[in-house]
Amino acid sequence: MFHIVEKYRTPAQIILGVICLSFVFAGGYTLAVPGTDYISKVGDIKIKVNDVNDFQRRIQNASGNPVSKKLVYDSLVDQAYVQQGANDMNITVPIDQIKQVIASDPSFQENGKFVEAKYRAFLQQAGMSEDALIDGMRKQYAMQSMLNLMKAGNVVSDAQAKQMVNLLQAAREVQTLTFPAANFTHQVVVDDNKLKAYYEANKKKYYLPQAVKYEYVQLSAMELGAKESVSEAEIQEAYNQIPTTASAPKPALENVRTQLTQEIQARKGAAVVAKLKENVSDLAFNNPKTLQPIKDKLGLTIHKIDQVWLTRDMANNSGMPKALQDALFGNDVLVKRYNSEPIDIGNGNYWVVRAIDVRKEHQASFTEIKAQVQQDYVAAESKKLALAAAKQALNNVSTNVNASLSWSQTADLTPQQAVAMMSKTDFQSWIKAKPVSGKPAYILLSDQQNPVLVKVNAIKQPQDMANVLPQAKQVISQNLAQNLATSNLAWLKSRYKLKQGAQKLDTADEQ
């Protein structure tokens, strides 16, 4: 929230940062109608359109990356709340301290001594008076002091740090027992009433998108080239064109004969494709409802993709070339049911496609989708039975009921590994599981495809705890400080009302 402010924390950065920040808190008088000279105001602090534009430009110039006006504006509003809070607490910085900061800045020194000329050149280049710089530094230091107060008061103990390390870094020694839903399929009773009820409860799942079944002919440089003969003279000519150097002598002809033959056939195939493409295009256009003339006159095979419906999402996910997708789901093929033009799908291949059948998007009826409904219903009910069995097993081991369970071999599982394979809910249960007095902890992972019962035998602390602990304390301290600052900012926002002015923040060019 305060990252833009906090980038100006060192003395030298504060001096330069004042250029960016002081205008946000500038005072002065105006003859304008009240409210027309700002977007919004916190107490006495105004945020103006020019402030946002200037700050945005300076940040972008410094970072080299685009920054939205909205983000800049929100940051300036937060800063205004902090500045107003500092004003109300009368947080000030003595002028002698400010002068000392300026004098000690390396940018204004030579051989460790302050050089007045460098300082004046800086002011001239920045377009600032000395009074404006000092006033800006006062406000900047006051705001930084206010931020420090807003974050102060968090002390992290070793016990807190160890608890975080154990939660987020320590591996668990675990054993697991999976309850495959497939093992319970035979227990599921199916009838039409149950299937219809399941269908009605999950009707949105069976809304079918637009889809197509199609056929195509292919012009392939590789396939057509493979049918072309290659003479010994052609091979010899290609061999003679292989460049040679003293360090790389020409290989023996027999060692490269196959490669040369394939290269010659590829060139011939590309030439055949170029010659046939116009014929294919004419045949496709003159016989728009069938590919049979292309097969009859040119001997190309008609390939049919008619076993399953193909949707646009399925085509995209399968990696189908975009040009082919656009043709297949375009108006000519999908609606008019015409042949497409030859489509370049890469690697010297051209397709002409035609829709065999088209499915409009619609809500599938129960009869139409019954087989899929039954499959889904059986899967859902099987998992319920598997989950019930897993819960019973968990209850038995948790209450010390003697149960013969086939646990897996022990293995170590880190939090990083666990979070990658578990849902958020399952991970939270896993991270909280803690063996007590030498007795394992048990949890049930219910969001998996198959329910999994987990026995946590031990939590293994990192071996380098002495090095990890200080880092953990620092992370916790930073998080506490940020949370405290956020809470204090919320309090400031409740105390000072954000007053809207007549100026408007223009973000139209960033949409």
Side-chain angles (χ1 to χ4, degrees):
M1 184 176 298
F2 302 110
H3 62 283
I4 296 181
V5 179
E6 293 185 329
K7 68 183 290 187
Y8 305 108
R9 283 184 289 187
T10 67
Q13 288 171 324
I14 289 175
I15 291 176
L16 298 175
V18 166
I19 301 173
C20 292
L21 297 171
S22 61
F23 60 79
V24 182
F25 313 115
Y29 298 94
T30 178
L31 297 178
V33 177
T36 60
D37 62 335
Y38 59 85
I39 303 172
S40 55
K41 184 170 75 168
V42 177
D44 298 325
I45 313 301
K46 297 177 180 178
I47 299 99
K48 306 175 183 179
V49 168
N50 288 342
D51 299 340
V52 177
N53 293 338
D54 290 346
F55 198 13
Q56 180 191 38
R57 184 178 65 256
R58 295 177 190 276
I59 293 173
Q60 290 180 159
N61 290 341
S63 66
N65 297 314
V67 180
S68 72
K69 282 186 173 65
K70 181 65 167 57
L71 177 62
V72 171
Y73 169 74
D74 290 343
S75 178
L76 294 180
V77 170
D78 286 348
Q79 291 176 36
Y81 277 108
V82 176
Q83 182 66 32
Q84 186 61 45
N87 292 349
D88 287 354
M89 294 181 67
N90 294 318
I91 297 175
T92 60
V93 181
I95 185 64
D96 291 343
Q97 183 177 344
I98 292 177
K99 289 181 177 180
Q100 180 61 38
V101 170
I102 295 174
S104 62
D105 191 298
S107 302
F108 308 140
Q109 292 183 347
E110 282 185 6
N111 301 320
K113 293 184 177 180
F114 176 72
V115 178
E116 178 82 11
K118 286 192 171 186
Y119 171 57
R120 296 298 171 185
F122 166 80
L123 290 176
Q124 184 176 6
Q125 184 179 7
M128 298 183 71
S129 67
E130 184 175 36
D131 289 343
L133 176 64
I134 291 174
D135 184 58
M137 289 183 66
R138 272 204 180 106
K139 291 170 180 175
Q140 177 67 12
Y141 270 106
M143 186 165 64
Q144 188 61 55
S145 298
M146 185 66 182
L147 279 172
N148 292 338
L149 287 173
M150 290 169 65
K151 294 183 176 183
N154 60 87
V155 178
V156 182
S157 67
D158 286 351
Q160 287 175 300
K162 286 181 179 178
Q163 184 178 26
M164 189 191 81
V165 171
N166 285 338
L167 279 175
L168 302 180
Q169 296 188 35
R172 272 68 167 170
E173 181 187 279
V174 300
Q175 292 175 275
T176 61
L177 176 59
T178 301
F179 291 78
N183 293 351
F184 298 85
T185 300
H186 66 282
Q187 298 181 28
V188 179
V189 178
V190 177
D191 60 49
D192 276 3
N193 289 333
K194 292 179 179 178
L195 294 182
K196 287 178 181 178
Y198 183 85
Y199 166 80
E200 291 296 334
N202 298 275
K203 209 166 186 177
K204 291 182 179 179
K205 182 178 179 180
Y206 302 111
Y207 189 85
L208 300 180
Q210 186 182 59
V212 64
K213 295 178 180 179
Y214 66 98
E215 61 184 8
Y216 68 94
V217 292
Q218 175 179 255
L219 278 175
S220 168
M222 181 179 294
E223 291 180 5
L224 294 173
K227 299 177 182 179
E228 295 293 311
S229 62
V230 179
S231 68
E232 187 64 28
E234 290 174 316
I235 294 175
Q236 186 64 52
E237 181 182 356
Y239 178 73
N240 292 338
Q241 292 176 359
I242 296 177
T244 59
T245 63
S247 59
K250 185 177 293 189
L253 174 58
E254 292 307 314
N255 292 338
V256 294
R257 178 181 292 274
T258 300
Q259 179 183 343
L260 293 175
T261 300
Q262 291 174 345
E263 290 175 355
I264 295 169
Q265 287 180 323
R267 289 196 298 270
K268 289 186 174 184
V272 173
V273 167
K275 182 179 180 180
L276 290 181
K277 190 170 68 169
E278 185 175 350
N279 293 338
V280 169
S281 180
D282 289 342
L283 289 169
F285 179 79
N286 294 327
N287 305 276
K289 296 288 187 175
T290 177
L291 298 177
Q292 191 64 36
I294 300 177
K295 176 184 177 182
D296 294 340
K297 294 187 178 182
L298 301 179
L300 299 180
T301 302
I302 298 177
H303 304 272
K304 294 185 181 293
I305 309 298
D306 58 358
Q307 297 303 304
V308 295
W309 289 106
L310 179 74
T311 68
R312 185 72 182 245
D313 285 344
M314 291 167 61
N316 187 56
N317 293 336
S318 70
M320 178 182 285
K322 186 175 185 302
L324 181 56
Q325 292 185 46
D326 291 342
L328 195 55
F329 291 92
N331 186 64
D332 283 351
V333 175
L334 200 69
V335 179
K336 296 181 179 178
R337 308 285 283 273
Y338 289 166
N339 296 331
S340 73
E341 285 289 320
I343 305 158
D344 185 355
I345 63 171
N347 299 319
N349 295 319
Y350 291 84
W351 283 19
V352 174
V353 297
R354 188 184 77 84
I356 299 173
D357 196 5
V358 173
R359 182 185 74 191
K360 295 181 179 180
E361 63 175 337
H362 67 286
Q363 175 64 58
S365 66
F366 173 73
T367 302
E368 181 182 3
I369 207 77
K370 180 178 178 180
Q372 184 63 50
V373 172
Q374 180 166 330
Q375 180 179 327
D376 295 343
Y377 173 77
V378 171
E381 292 301 307
S382 297
K383 184 171 181 179
K384 287 181 183 178
L385 293 171
L387 187 59
K391 287 181 177 179
Q392 183 60 54
L394 174 62
N395 182 67
N396 290 342
V397 295
S398 299
T399 56
N400 296 318
V401 173
N402 187 21
S404 178
L405 299 176
S406 301
W407 294 100
S408 69
Q409 296 293 319
T410 59
D412 289 344
L413 186 64
T414 67
Q416 291 79 13
Q417 293 169 329
V419 76
M421 65 176 65
M422 298 178 189
S423 68
K424 182 178 179 180
T425 302
D426 281 349
F427 178 74
Q428 288 176 344
S429 298
W430 181 85
I431 206 75
K432 293 175 183 178
K434 183 178 180 181
V436 179
S437 301
K439 294 183 179 180
Y442 298 93
I443 58 170
L444 176 59
L445 307 181
S446 57
D447 289 342
Q448 309 298 304
Q449 183 175 0
N450 296 303
V452 180
L453 191 60
V454 180
K455 176 164 65 171
V456 182
N457 294 314
I459 299 177
K460 298 182 176 181
Q461 291 187 352
Q463 295 181 354
D464 57 342
M465 180 64 81
N467 295 326
V468 171
L469 206 58
Q471 299 174 13
K473 293 177 74 171
Q474 183 179 6
V475 171
I476 295 175
S477 179
Q478 291 173 346
N479 288 338
L480 289 174
Q482 185 61 45
N483 291 339
L484 187 59
T486 300
S487 297
N488 283 324
L489 179 62
W491 177 81
L492 288 171
K493 288 184 176 181
S494 68
R495 179 176 180 181
Y496 306 111
K497 182 180 179 181
L498 182 66
K499 184 177 180 180
Q500 298 300 321
Q503 292 186 356
K504 301 297 180 183
L505 185 66
D506 182 14
T507 60
D509 59 331
E510 299 178 348
Q511 299 301 317

